[in-house]
Amino acid sequence: MTLELLHKPSMAQLTSLGIGGNARVLAKVRDEAGLDELSRFVEREGSDLLAIGEGSNMLAGDGELNLALVQVACERKAEAQISGTSVLAPADMRLPG
């Protein structure tokens, strides 16, 4: 499975602040094919996209939110690639610190 959809996730359970209503869906993208699936889902359902990472530093409103939350959840973690003054980092890479 390259895309896992969880319907009506609680923002309070997904954010470090522990508050907020329910989003329309949480999409866990496992690979590039999952991004294609997500694109088709959003086009069909008409939800707004919000990339949430691990949910820290987010404040969500109460009630029903017309949001498709996106988390990159790749099983194999890629390393950052550094070339001169450019850095190419994967979307799910944790920053140091």
Side-chain angles (χ1 to χ4, degrees), residues 20-77:
N22 294 328
R24 192 164 183 182
V25 69
L26 169 62
K28 293 188 177 188
V29 179
R30 308 252 182 242
D31 57 23
E32 287 184 29
L35 289 173
D36 291 336
E37 291 179 52
L38 177 61
S39 175
R40 289 189 294 273
F41 172 81
V42 169
E43 185 176 301
R44 186 176 62 243
E45 298 294 322
S47 299
D48 294 327
L49 284 176
L50 178 65
I52 64 168
E54 293 183 8
S56 62
N57 300 319
M58 286 182 47
L59 183 61
D62 291 330
E64 298 295 318
L65 307 170
N66 187 32
L67 293 173
L69 306 175
V70 180
Q71 281 185 326
V72 176
C74 297
E75 292 187 21
R76 190 180 61 146
K77 302 295 183 192

